[in-house]
Amino acid sequence: MTTLLYDGSFDGLFTAVFEVFEYRYKDVEISSRARFHQENIFAEIHEVITQTEKSERVLNKLEQNIGKQGVYKLLKVFLSEDPNLENLILSAVRQSIKHPGENILENFADNNILQISKIGKSVDRERHRMTAFVRFEKMQDGVFFAKIDPDFNVLPLIRKHFNDRYQDQKWMIYDLRRNYGLLYDLESCDFFYPDEKLNFSQYQQKFHDEEKNYQTLWQRYFTKTNIVERKNLKLHVQHVPKRYWKYLTEKW
C-alpha cells in the first residue's frame, strides 16, 4: 500500500490524483497530512507537493468526461470533509477515465458512486439551510456580520448567493468551526483567513446601537406572537432543527 499525503487543499488533492496515474500506483490511498495516522509501519509514503498545473490537467479531463456538473458534485464531496472523501473522488476519476463519455456519477450500483450522491445531497441541504438561517448583525463600523457553524464546509457554496443579494452593504460571514470567512467590501467578495480564531466573548460590545434596539424589539415581538396553546415543538424542530437556533435572534 502506498499512501499519498497532501496539504488538504483542493488543488493538493487533485495533484495527488494526477500523481496516482503519473506513477501508476495500484494499491494506493490518499490522505491529508492533518488527518493521517500511520497504522502500517511498512506502508510507503509519497509526499505530494501541490502543483496547480497538475491539478488543472485532472480537472480539465474530468470536465470533458463528466461535465461541469460532475466536477461540482466532486467539489461537494471535498467540502463535506468526509473521512473517505479522497478515495471516493479517486474512485470517480478512475471510473471517468475507464468509461469516458458515460454518466458514471449516475451508476448507483457502484457503492462509491452511491456514497458520492448521498454526500452531495447532505451538503446541498446544509447549503440551503445556511442561506435560510444566516442572520446579520450590524456592527459599530457599519459592517453587517454573521457567524455560522455548519456541519460541512459550505461557505464556498453560499458565496454567490450572498454576493448576488447583498451588494449595497458591507458584510462578513465567519465560519466558527473552520476559522475563515467571506468579506464583501462593496467591490469584491473574497475569503479571509485570520491568524487566530476570532474572540466572540466580547463581540456583542461592538454591536451598533441600532442592532441592539432591533434585537430587543424582535425578541419582544416573537414572545408576544408566540401562542402557547398552538405550540408544536415537534413540527417546529422539523422545519428549524435545534442546531440552527443559535443563528436566530428570537432564540437568544
Side-chain angles (χ1 to χ4, degrees):
M1 170 71 74
T2 300
T3 301
L4 280 71
L5 297 182
Y6 74 108
D7 60 6
S9 69
F10 191 68
D11 279 329
L13 171 56
F14 281 92
T15 301
V17 170
F18 181 94
E19 294 186 357
V20 167
F21 294 94
E22 181 181 17
Y23 296 105
R24 300 185 179 183
Y25 290 128
K26 300 299 182 185
D27 188 16
V28 65
E29 66 175 2
I30 302 173
S31 175
S32 68
R33 293 186 183 92
R35 291 192 310 195
F36 177 64
H37 299 287
Q38 186 167 358
E39 298 178 356
N40 183 355
I41 62 173
F42 299 107
E44 179 184 347
I45 304 298
H46 175 101
E47 293 282 351
V48 176
I49 299 175
T50 299
Q51 298 179 57
T52 305
E53 58 273 18
K54 288 185 176 181
S55 172
E56 288 180 350
R57 284 180 62 180
V58 177
L59 290 169
N60 289 338
K61 186 65 176 178
L62 267 177
E63 189 173 320
Q64 291 175 18
N65 291 346
I66 62 176
K68 290 184 178 180
Q69 281 302 312
V71 175
Y72 182 63
K73 288 180 180 179
L74 296 187
L75 171 63
K76 287 188 285 188
V77 174
F78 176 78
L79 295 175
S80 75
E81 303 171 330
D82 186 276
N84 198 37
L85 72 90
E86 292 90 355
N87 299 304
L88 288 173
I89 290 174
L90 176 60
S91 174
V93 173
R94 280 176 162 164
Q95 292 188 52
S96 74
I97 292 173
K98 187 177 181 180
H99 305 286
E102 295 184 18
N103 193 356
I104 60 102
L105 293 181
E106 297 296 323
N107 178 23
F108 302 128
D110 181 276
N111 187 58
N112 287 333
I113 299 301
L114 182 60
Q115 283 300 111
I116 288 172
S117 177
K118 289 180 177 178
I119 289 171
K121 290 177 181 177
S122 295
V123 172
D124 277 338
R125 283 193 294 270
E126 190 74 340
R127 173 190 58 79
H128 174 72
R129 285 166 174 164
M130 285 299 103
T131 60
F133 297 133
V134 164
R135 293 293 186 268
F136 286 99
E137 302 159 321
K138 189 174 183 180
M139 311 305 282
Q140 291 175 3
D141 58 6
V143 174
F144 287 85
F145 178 84
K147 57 188 183 297
I148 62 174
D149 185 18
D151 290 344
F152 309 113
N153 183 15
V154 296
L155 197 55
L157 302 180
I158 63 175
R159 176 182 183 179
K160 185 177 186 302
H161 171 87
F162 287 99
N163 190 38
D164 289 346
R165 284 161 177 75
Y166 299 99
Q167 296 187 355
D168 60 344
Q169 58 196 34
K170 295 180 180 180
W171 52 262
M172 295 170 58
I173 303 176
Y174 178 74
D175 187 326
L176 296 166
R177 190 176 306 189
R178 297 162 188 88
N179 189 36
Y180 83 112
L182 275 173
L183 172 62
Y184 176 69
D185 62 1
L186 299 180
E187 294 182 359
S188 61
C189 182
D190 296 311
F191 295 105
F192 67 92
Y193 304 87
D195 293 333
E196 299 179 356
K197 287 190 175 183
L198 298 185
N199 183 358
F200 291 96
S201 61
Q202 298 178 333
Y203 91 104
Q204 287 185 318
Q205 296 179 9
K206 297 182 179 180
F207 280 172
H208 194 283
D209 288 341
E210 291 177 5
E211 177 65 28
K212 296 175 184 177
N213 293 335
Y214 164 77
Q215 290 185 4
T216 300
L217 288 171
W218 179 245
Q219 288 162 355
R220 288 176 180 172
Y221 170 79
F222 183 79
T223 301
K224 293 290 185 182
T225 57
N226 185 23
I227 303 173
V228 177
E229 291 78 8
R230 295 184 181 180
K231 188 173 183 179
N232 187 335
L233 185 59
K234 183 177 179 180
L235 181 63
H236 184 62
V237 171
Q238 180 181 336
H239 289 285
V240 187
K242 283 188 176 181
R243 70 176 188 268
Y244 299 105
W245 289 8
K246 57 193 169 188
Y247 305 122
L248 306 179
T249 305
E250 62 269 23
K251 299 294 186 183
W252 296 352

